[in-house]
Amino acid sequence: MNVSWTARSRLLGARRRTRFGMAFLLALIAVVLLVDLGADANGSEAARCARFAADAQDRRAEPVVGSGDRVVVLGDSWSAGLGLDDPADAWPSRLAGRVSVDAFSGSGFSRLASPCAGACFAQRAPRAVSGGADLVVVEGGLNDVDQPVAALRAGFTRVMRALEAPRVVVVGPASAPARAAGARRVDEVLAAMASRYDAAYVSTLDLDLAYLDDGLHLTARGHRELGDYVAQQLAALASGAHTPTPL
């Protein structure tokens, strides 16, 4: 009996060690996979940020055309023309004046709207107006839909403090299908903050724009619609007859 019991105990111990070893091996494999996935995600994110930075540089390098007031557009992927065959056809091209664009895809008012370093509006604002500006148009908000209200307000404040321009107009987010649920909240916050800082606010929430299949970015027609609407509102502001009525 003692021999049989000892053998059985040894067998059970061996089984436990085998199970423990298998569990340890599976856990180790899981950790390795997670590390690999994290590395892939970080690599993809870094590549995306690098691509957006290159696109932003290309937009800033475009020659300034037109005549009249110096107009600086500070914005996100809509101002960058992401998804267009020619980014130069993005909505700012419909504005009057000598228009220059500082746009970074995925960026917003909030510091963490984009994971890319130096992308938020406030960090780019000094560079955007370094050549002077009679009017600054700040366009964005769709990348802030998942950010806390406090972060959005703080980001707006930093932008206004960083800008040195006699006139600032803020163009809020439209109801892009992919982010319509959060756009209204952002619109309300931006409108209130613009009023606090005596900046004009143009709401685009109710515009019926044409979108790409991703439900987030505009088609060429959508850019024309948005650009013409903003140009109309800027003209109304200049004449003192600002009436932000959707198309």
Side-chain angles (χ1 to χ4, degrees), residues 34-137:
L34 287 173
V35 170
D36 286 344
L37 288 173
D40 289 343
N42 289 335
S44 298
E45 184 175 283
R48 184 167 58 252
C49 288
R51 177 166 60 87
F52 289 164
D55 291 344
Q57 175 61 37
D58 289 343
R59 285 293 272 151
R60 293 195 303 274
E62 291 174 1
V64 177
V65 297
S67 60
D69 288 349
R70 295 169 297 177
V71 179
V72 172
V73 175
L74 179 66
D76 54 21
S77 59
W78 284 25
S79 296
L82 188 67
L84 293 178
D85 292 334
D86 185 356
D89 292 334
W91 72 269
S93 67
R94 314 290 288 185
L95 304 183
R98 291 175 288 159
V99 181
S100 60
V101 179
D102 190 308
F104 197 105
S105 296
S107 65
F109 291 89
S110 307
R111 192 187 301 275
L112 298 181
S114 168
C116 304
C120 74
F121 292 173
Q123 290 174 290
R124 290 161 35 221
R127 178 186 64 201
V129 298
S130 61
D134 299 304
L135 168 66
V136 177
V137 179

Side-chain angles (χ1 to χ4, degrees), residues 2-61:
N2 291 338
V3 173
S4 177
W5 177 257
T6 301
R8 185 178 179 183
S9 298
R10 289 175 178 172
L11 179 60
L12 289 174
R15 287 177 177 174
R16 290 193 186 99
R17 287 192 295 273
T18 300
R19 289 172 184 167
F20 176 79
M22 288 297 295
F24 178 79
L25 180 60
L26 290 173
L28 181 61
I29 291 173
V31 169
V32 171
L33 288 174
L34 287 173
V35 170
D36 286 344
L37 288 173
D40 289 343
N42 289 335
S44 298
E45 184 175 283
R48 184 167 58 252
C49 288
R51 177 166 60 87
F52 289 164
D55 291 344
Q57 175 61 37
D58 289 343
R59 285 293 272 151
R60 293 195 303 274

Side-chain angles (χ1 to χ4, degrees), residues 109-110 113 140-154 156 172-176 179-194 201 203 205-206:
F109 291 89
S110 307
L142 281 177
N143 294 315
D144 296 283
V145 296
D146 60 348
Q147 297 298 303
V149 170
L152 180 55
R153 288 172 176 158
F156 190 100
S175 297
R179 297 184 183 174
R184 187 167 297 278
R185 176 180 66 92
V186 173
D187 177 78
E188 292 173 353
V189 173
L190 293 181
M193 293 299 293
Y201 186 71
S203 176
L205 200 64
D206 296 324

